[in-house]
Amino acid sequence: MSNETVEKSAAADDLYAEAAQWHINTGGETIHAKRMPGKWRTIKWLSAAVWILFFVGPYLRWNGQQAILWDIPARQYHIFGATILPQDFWMLSLLLLFFAILLAVVTALAGRVWCGYFCFQTVWTDAFTWIEEKLEGQPAARRKLDKAPMDFTKFRIKAIKHLVWLLIGFATGFAFVSWFVDAPTLWREFFMGQSGTVAYVTVALFTVGTYGLAGWLREQVCFWLCPYARIQGVMLDRTTILPTYDFHRGEPRGRVKKGQKEADRTTGDCVDCNQCVAVCPTGVDIREGQQEGCITCGLCLDACDTVMVKVGRPLGLIRYASLDELEGKPVKPMLARPRVWVYAAILLAAISGILYGLTSLAPIELKVLHERAPLFATLSDGSIQNKYTLKILNKDNSDLEVKISASGPENMIIMGGDDLVMAKHGAVHPAVIYVKVPRKSLKAEREDITFRIEATRPDGQVIATERKSIFIGPKR
Amino acid sequence: MAGPNPFPGENNTGHFWDDNLRELNNPPPSWWMIGFWASIAWVVGYFILYPSWPMPYQPQEGEGFTKGVIGWTQIKEYEEGVQQLQEMRAQYEEKIATMTAEQILADPGLTQYTLASAKVLFGDNCSACHGSGGQGNPGYPVLVDDDWLYGGSLAKLQESLAYGRKGAMTAHKDILTPAEVDALAKFVVDLSEGKATDQGWALFNEKGCTACHGAKGNGVLAELPGGEIVSVGAANLTDGIWRFEPGGLESAKHTILYGVNQTGVEGTREAVMPAFADTGKLTPLQIKKLVVYVHQLGGGK
């Protein structure tokens, strides 16, 4: 073999050696992460507390009704006295747009903040492992217990743990269903076996789902199931701040040597204590750089800072930093970045649309359908008749007696609108109206006509709305 | 590949290419395998429960496939859906069955229901001639106006629907002279425009047209106290609505010459409304619904 061949072969062998070191986490081993107190740990608890709203939200009342109720069978959403019907659904698309962009903007600025601090997978897993630690002890004790043969003590601990997990799963499902039906009614009916099948199936699925995802799959969900973990790459840029290991400072890493003076030290600041890996809930090594397994939860920052304090080196070896900062490039202020402005503009547009929609929700709505077959009828006295179907939508909380009137061509006669129309709340009431106009009064083949509906609410307030339509006559 | 495994203890399959390219035997994650086996179990369960596999044709059963133990079929599911709908409708149907058309119209809720359910009947049985919205077609009357040759009351509509109508007008080509036909046709056009002459009226009376079209030419032979009319279905000549398209002088002449529904007369007008009750095509309840529907189309009296 020539020297060249030997060199090439050696290069390939290096790659294979490196490949052998690759660790792909496919869930073969349970990650027992260590818990360490710290600034980010506290922030994580606070952000996780947002989910308390998920559990208590359904019990808020408003005017004797559930404040927020997604009433799917009745096709109505109630949000603090506002009733949203399918007609108002364009607001939902704006809401989805708002959250999609919010996710993008936050990720572009500070990485996977949702994943690390707010995502239900992260929060529930965090709660589940907290319970695990309370029952089974520190990571070392947990690993030992996992390996130990089954005996009464192990069985008792494990049984309690799984029971508590299942109970949390059940509470999660029950809270979820409470958003869709009246919560006090659900409490009364659910345990009497009187709730609908959908309620039981949903609670069952949530119980099993929560138990399986937060108890067993854990970080596997982030690694292999969640699409968001995979699309984050395109949202990050060089200016995004992320939990980052400062390798300029840390490398070459080396253990602290007894009796060595700081001045004589040849190694970097990293003492290779592996605490950052030990506390990581997804089991990644932040020192390998940004990677798909990192949910940017900040727990390694706490761990590293704790160690740095102990060994008396500066804090922030692992810190929130951008790639630019790490490479010593000037850091662009947030407002100088065009994407911040573009994202902010879209957010503003979406939120303005929603606010406009919510403030302009009319208690009654009118749609006018002009009959098309035929467009008009010639009556025996020569006058022209048009037929309209008025769809009166009553979004008020009470049934209303609606008065129909119209203004349009001269000498027109409205038929069918003399009596008050009873419009039930939360429903669309169709009313058929005929309008008759003497042929002489018609000035064009097509004229404007405006329908008006008016109703008095039980509290005496008069509500009215108008809708324009057309009156069609023969060709001239 | 011959020879000993050059990478022993590596969990490879023993397949090598180009000296060191080899296939490793890494198992998929366990959650994936659980999902995989669960899917297979699901398929087995599905095959047992549902119709799933084609089988040779079986003459006594009419088809060939495995039936599944729960006996589900699409047609059965459809029939159950229909059954459910019928149960929901039953309360209205029962009420309507015992009510008259007048009583139905007095109840806004039942009127709404009747109109909705009669829309389908109208589409199936009436719209072929009278148009999807009752707008009529050339030769077939408009139902949305207030011009009713046989009367537009609920009772008359019921009569028309149940027993049908057949217009009749003599062909005058061998009875009248061409000049008389021209004069009468012009009179009819004038009448519809409110410009009838005494001369015209004289000829109209003399030729016996009033026998069917009435003394006023409006197709009404007598008015009854209740607002009902007596007619033989002859056209109202005084209004602007023409029974046979396109209307006007030539059209009127044609009708006078060849009449309506005259056997053996070539070019005669056809005006036949089929009977829907006698032929059993519609039940009395369906006819009642259609009466209400047609009455509410815009011109009911």
Side-chain angles (χ1 to χ4, degrees):
Chain A
M1 267 202 291
S2 70
N3 275 347
E4 205 184 334
T5 323
V6 172
E7 266 171 39
K8 276 183 183 166
S9 168
D13 283 345
D14 284 350
L15 288 175
Y16 292 128
E18 191 181 308
Q21 294 302 312
W22 284 342
H23 174 66
I24 296 171
N25 179 354
T26 55
E29 189 188 349
T30 310
I31 291 170
H32 286 296
K34 186 175 165 183
R35 280 172 183 267
M36 281 174 109
K39 177 173 136 198
W40 296 101
R41 177 68 257 178
T42 313
I43 291 175
K44 225 167 122 67
W45 279 128
L46 291 175
S47 62
V50 169
W51 283 99
I52 292 173
L53 278 180
F54 170 75
F55 289 95
V56 301
Y59 302 99
L60 299 175
R61 308 295 286 181
W62 188 267
N63 283 343
Q65 275 189 327
Q66 188 156 323
I68 300 172
L69 180 64
W70 316 108
D71 190 349
I72 289 177
R75 288 163 182 80
Q76 295 181 359
Y77 291 168
H78 300 279
I79 305 171
F80 292 102
T83 302
I84 296 179
L85 294 182
Q87 286 82 352
D88 309 312
F89 240 59
W90 57 273
M91 279 190 273
L92 179 73
S93 46
L94 284 184
L95 195 70
L96 293 177
L97 174 74
F98 178 82
F99 282 117
I101 298 294
L102 188 67
L103 200 64
V105 68
V106 169
T107 308
L109 295 179
R112 293 163 67 178
V113 171
W114 163 256
C115 293
Y117 299 94
F118 295 99
C119 177
F120 33 82
Q121 179 63 29
T122 304
V123 171
W124 262 250
T125 303
D126 200 19
F128 273 42
T129 50
W130 181 81
I131 289 162
E132 195 170 60
E133 186 174 85
K134 291 290 155 219
L135 290 168
E136 300 181 358
Q138 294 296 315
R142 267 146 54 198
R143 279 189 205 100
K144 207 175 136 199
L145 186 72
D146 282 353
K147 280 191 194 115
M150 184 60 79
D151 59 12
F152 177 73
T153 320
K154 182 176 175 178
F155 180 79
R156 184 178 51 85
I157 293 172
K158 292 279 178 192
I160 293 172
K161 180 180 83 175
H162 290 288
L163 193 68
V164 174
W165 282 0
L166 279 167
L167 278 175
I168 294 177
F170 175 79
T172 308
F174 196 82
F176 182 79
V177 172
S178 306
W179 291 89
F180 297 89
V181 290
D182 185 62
T185 316
L186 183 69
W187 272 98
R188 198 167 54 245
E189 290 179 351
F190 191 87
F191 300 101
M192 309 273 280
Q194 291 167 348
S195 285
T197 321
V198 178
Y200 291 110
V201 171
T202 310
V203 171
L205 284 176
F206 264 80
T207 308
V208 175
T210 308
Y211 171 77
L213 292 173
W216 292 93
L217 282 178
R218 297 186 183 175
E219 85 287 345
Q220 291 296 303
V221 174
C222 311
F223 270 99
W224 311 114
L225 292 183
C226 181
Y228 179 58
R230 303 283 170 147
I231 59 172
Q232 53 141 350
V234 294
M235 298 183 182
L236 305 177
D237 62 14
R238 307 183 58 87
T239 55
T240 310
I241 52 164
L242 297 166
T244 308
Y245 167 66
D246 188 344
F247 57 90
H248 294 303
R249 245 187 75 188
E251 298 298 312
R253 56 189 88 154
R255 288 166 173 274
V256 180
K257 286 183 185 134
K258 254 185 193 162
Q260 190 186 43
K261 285 185 189 145
E262 268 299 277
D264 300 339
R265 176 157 64 95
T266 52
T267 55
D269 280 349
C270 177
V271 295
D272 207 10
C273 63
N274 265 320
Q275 287 299 297
C276 51
V277 181
V279 297
C280 182
T282 63
V284 302
D285 187 344
I286 189 69
R287 294 171 299 175
E288 284 167 13
Q290 179 48 220
Q291 53 203 293
E292 52 143 12
C294 175
I295 58 170
T296 75
C297 66
L299 292 179
C300 49
L301 276 65
D302 282 344
C304 190
D305 281 351
T306 312
V307 173
M308 288 297 120
V309 168
K310 275 184 192 159
V311 299
R313 291 179 190 173
L315 300 185
L317 178 60
I318 303 176
R319 64 175 185 275
Y320 263 101
S322 67
L323 200 56
D324 274 350
E325 184 194 332
L326 206 62
E327 291 180 351
K329 289 185 184 158
V331 179
K332 250 188 182 177
M334 195 195 279
L335 293 181
R337 293 159 63 186
R339 75 153 59 180
V340 174
W341 287 98
V342 173
Y343 282 140
I346 301 174
L347 282 181
L348 194 70
I351 203 89
S352 329
I354 297 166
L355 283 177
Y356 166 77
L358 281 177
T359 49
S360 63
L361 280 178
I364 46 173
E365 265 180 30
L366 178 64
K367 295 258 173 6
V368 179
L369 306 176
H370 184 276
E371 175 66 42
R372 284 175 296 180
L375 286 168
F376 65 89
T378 310
L379 300 183
S380 46
D381 65 358
S383 56
I384 306 298
Q385 181 169 283
N386 277 207
K387 181 183 180 183
Y388 302 89
T389 307
L390 270 57
K391 302 250 174 179
I392 302 166
L393 171 63
N394 178 2
K395 294 201 267 181
D396 210 52
N397 290 328
S398 51
D399 295 351
L400 295 172
E401 286 200 314
V402 180
K403 196 180 146 227
I404 300 169
S405 58
S407 57
E410 272 176 74
N411 303 319
M412 56 178 245
I413 299 165
I414 309 166
M415 285 168 300
D418 329 327
D419 305 325
L420 293 174
V421 174
M422 181 54 100
K424 291 223 160 61
H425 74 273
V428 177
H429 184 91
V432 175
I433 299 287
Y434 296 99
V435 175
K436 202 162 98 174
V437 179
R439 199 162 182 164
K440 275 178 279 178
S441 305
L442 288 174
K443 293 182 185 62
E445 189 188 335
R446 182 184 148 153
E447 294 194 28
D448 287 338
I449 183 168
T450 305
F451 287 92
R452 177 186 169 84
I453 52 170
E454 200 177 290
T456 311
R457 286 167 66 166
D459 61 8
Q461 192 196 343
V462 176
I463 44 179
T465 183
E466 287 187 349
R467 188 94 186 180
K468 245 170 122 175
S469 185
I470 47 169
F471 187 91
I472 293 190
K475 281 203 162 59
R476 304 178 75 83
Chain B
M1 181 118 188
N5 193 333
F7 301 94
E10 190 200 43
N11 191 25
N12 62 45
T13 56
H15 299 152
F16 302 94
W17 301 269
D18 299 343
D19 296 338
N20 51 18
L21 189 61
R22 69 264 191 205
E23 185 182 35
L24 299 186
N25 187 19
N26 285 327
S30 53
W31 64 264
W32 194 93
M33 287 308 290
I34 292 168
F36 177 72
W37 288 113
S39 314
I40 290 176
W42 188 83
V43 168
V44 171
Y46 185 92
F47 267 52
I48 294 169
L49 293 174
Y50 286 93
S52 42
W53 198 256
M55 300 281 277
Y57 180 76
Q58 288 159 330
Q60 69 278 13
E61 296 191 33
E63 65 243 312
F65 55 84
T66 57
K67 299 287 185 294
V69 295
I70 58 170
W72 178 92
T73 64
Q74 266 186 344
I75 193 72
K76 221 187 264 178
E77 189 171 292
Y78 163 75
E79 280 162 0
E80 279 166 13
V82 171
Q83 180 80 25
Q84 277 178 8
L85 270 183
Q86 279 168 350
E87 278 163 20
M88 279 161 68
R89 290 173 182 165
Q91 48 164 326
Y92 301 106
E93 294 287 331
E94 281 163 19
K95 266 193 216 161
I96 290 173
T98 60
M99 289 167 90
T100 64
E102 284 86 356
Q103 287 170 327
I104 294 171
L105 279 173
D107 182 327
L110 284 180
T111 306
Q112 209 64 56
Y113 173 81
T114 309
L115 294 183
S117 83
K119 198 176 164 76
V120 181
L121 291 171
F122 190 87
D124 288 352
N125 298 286
C126 316
S127 62
C129 296
H130 291 289
S132 60
Q135 72 269 40
N137 271 317
Y140 299 98
V142 175
L143 300 180
V144 295
D145 61 20
D146 59 347
D147 186 36
W148 301 96
L149 303 184
Y150 296 92
S153 67
L154 290 166
K156 289 288 181 184
L157 290 174
Q158 148 83 24
E159 213 174 277
S160 304
L161 263 156
Y163 309 114
R165 296 292 185 186
K166 187 170 182 181
M169 177 167 164
T170 319
H172 293 81
K173 62 182 164 68
D174 300 330
I175 302 171
L176 299 175
T177 65
E180 285 167 337
V181 171
D182 283 354
L184 279 172
K186 187 171 184 314
F187 168 74
V188 168
V189 173
D190 288 346
L191 190 58
S192 71
E193 291 168 357
K195 296 185 292 196
T197 58
D198 290 344
Q199 214 183 339
W201 273 116
L203 188 63
F204 188 70
N205 285 319
E206 187 200 328
K207 294 298 170 190
C209 305
T210 50
C212 295
H213 288 286
K216 293 180 191 161
N218 60 358
V220 176
L221 296 180
E223 285 184 37
L224 299 181
E228 293 273 7
I229 56 160
V230 176
S231 82
V232 292
N236 178 354
L237 304 174
T238 62
D239 63 16
I241 299 167
W242 292 87
R243 172 65 183 84
F244 297 106
E245 297 287 318
L249 192 67
E250 288 307 313
S251 197
K253 251 160 82 176
H254 187 99
T255 313
I256 297 170
L257 283 173
Y258 304 106
V260 178
N261 290 332
Q262 296 302 297
T263 352
V265 180
E266 206 174 313
T268 191
R269 303 283 196 187
E270 279 177 34
V272 178
M273 159 91 182
F276 282 89
D278 292 351
T279 51
K281 211 167 175 326
L282 292 176
T283 64
L285 178 62
Q286 288 174 320
I287 290 178
K288 196 192 295 176
K289 284 180 177 175
L290 278 171
V291 166
V292 172
Y293 186 81
V294 172
H295 188 267
Q296 293 306 97
L297 272 177
K301 300 217 165 156

